[in-house]
Amino acid sequence: MRSSPPGGEPPLTDEPRRALLTASPGASAEWKGCLYSLTAEARDGARSAAPVHDIRLHRTSLGTCPFEEQHRLLDTSHAPPTLSLVAGDKGLAVGHSLTGASPAATGSRFNLWHLAPDSLDVLRRESLSASICPRGMGTCLPGGITQASLAVSGDALVVEGTKSGIIPGEVGEGTRFTATYPDFFTTQAAPTVLAPPDEDASYASVEWSGCHFFAWSAPERSDTPTAESLVYVTRLPGRGCPWRAESRLIDRTFQPGPVALMGGASGLAVGYKRHRSTTADAPVSLRLLQLPWDALQAGREENLEVWKDTHGLSRPGAISLVHLSVLRDESLVVLGHKDGTFDGEPGSALRFQLSFQDFFNSTRPPTFGAF
């Protein structure tokens, strides 16, 4: 990295340096009198319905920049990319999303670049991607980095964002992630990726007769924390599957929490937490559905509400679904945690076990226990 020439900009003081070592609100950053801007420009004359976007880094002078005006083409994306740019005393870090011509086949990823401020040469390039790898399917589906931004913390580069799927090596499997690259500007060290479990999205999967079944949920609008979540069941045919691909919306709810899915000889069992609204007095229930393998339409529905007594008043309780099991006799066993009591439950254990005898072929109420 070049130093300023004699008579140029004086060395950065601690205060300006701290200002530079933070993420820019837009895709631009200042470094020693130079302005670096990251843009995504749709190509003129593109004939396709989804034009290609050229991702370029531009350098211009703010009056004391020791380098000439210059620009560099970094990459191209078929979907409008998200952009992020930070400048530290060891160089520039650029980040942008990238989507190929067939998003369903390739998903989207987030590319990272370390560029020399003087020559705009590429000193390091990294890529973050995510995959959905259902248990039993034997292959992975493309996920994606849905949003990400950069910040510098000491010598580390920190990437924070949201995703669908799992980033290799991550801990937590949540929808929000933080990837930290130690000494990003001076080494090739791999990042540590943390994705704390959350309730913004969830999926579970099982395989049956060559078919792959998914139960999954995602917020209807990612930019609104209080938005409803949509809960789906999806079937994807594999080798030998006798049924076609199908996806069905089975519910709209607030904060569904982790979604559980289990299969038995007679069909699927789906379980999740259900909130009717975001208000504090809205009932909270454990929702269980029974669906046949060939038609993703609920044949049985159970909504078990949890309530607790607070100073003589009945209030909605809290519930967390942990696990579903289907026994050989087609009984369904549900494990979870709660704060409150189910209707008809003797006692109010914090950890519960519900057993539905012959869940797929009868409507018998559950028996209650603890684990």
Side-chain angles (χ1 to χ4, degrees), residues 211-214 233-238 241-248 293-294 296:
C211 309
H212 307 287
F213 294 84
F214 307 85
V233 174
T234 300
R235 179 179 60 232
L236 295 178
C241 179
W243 305 298
R244 61 178 177 83
E246 183 178 357
S247 189
R248 184 178 294 272
W293 294 111
D294 59 346
L296 303 184

Side-chain angles (χ1 to χ4, degrees), residues 31-271:
W31 191 88
K32 294 189 177 183
C34 308
L35 178 65
Y36 296 87
S37 302
L38 189 63
T39 64
E41 304 162 356
R43 290 182 185 174
D44 292 335
R47 298 179 179 179
S48 63
V52 171
H53 297 263
D54 290 326
I55 302 169
R56 298 179 184 272
L57 181 67
H58 307 261
R59 183 182 62 221
T60 55
S61 177
L62 293 174
T64 56
C65 180
F67 315 123
E68 297 178 351
E69 183 173 339
Q70 187 178 347
H71 69 87
R72 183 186 184 96
L73 175 65
L74 295 179
D75 227 323
T76 58
S77 175
H78 282 261
T82 59
L83 307 171
S84 188
L85 171 62
V86 289
D89 56 357
K90 294 183 179 179
L92 303 174
V94 173
H96 63 83
S97 61
L98 187 67
T99 305
S102 301
T106 62
S108 61
R109 64 181 186 269
F110 192 76
N111 282 353
L112 296 166
W113 308 74
H114 172 201
L115 301 175
D118 52 357
S119 63
L120 301 188
D121 286 344
V122 178
L123 305 179
R124 180 179 183 181
R125 181 178 179 180
E126 301 287 342
S127 184
L128 284 171
S129 59
S131 300
I132 299 173
C133 302
R135 286 179 290 274
M137 187 170 179
T139 187
C140 295
L141 305 174
I145 308 296
T146 53
Q147 182 274 331
S149 60
L150 306 181
V152 176
S153 177
D155 291 331
L157 180 68
V158 180
V159 187
E160 293 185 323
T162 56
K163 63 182 176 65
S164 58
I166 304 300
I167 297 174
E170 77 172 44
V171 176
E173 300 189 2
T175 58
R176 297 184 179 274
F177 73 91
T178 300
T180 303
Y181 290 82
D183 300 312
F184 176 80
F185 297 98
T186 57
T187 73
Q188 300 294 316
T192 58
V193 183
L194 300 178
D198 56 34
E199 295 190 349
D200 290 337
S202 176
Y203 77 93
S205 65
V206 296
E207 182 181 11
W208 187 267
S209 296
C211 309
H212 307 287
F213 294 84
F214 307 85
W216 55 283
S217 70
E220 185 173 24
R221 290 181 57 189
S222 59
D223 60 339
T224 305
T226 58
E228 280 187 299
S229 286
L230 307 179
V231 185
Y232 292 89
V233 174
T234 300
R235 179 179 60 232
L236 295 178
R239 181 174 298 179
C241 179
W243 305 298
R244 61 178 177 83
E246 183 178 357
S247 189
R248 184 178 294 272
L249 175 66
I250 60 174
D251 206 354
R252 302 172 66 95
T253 181
F254 295 91
Q255 302 174 347
V259 177
L261 179 67
M262 188 56 64
S266 299
L268 289 163
V270 182

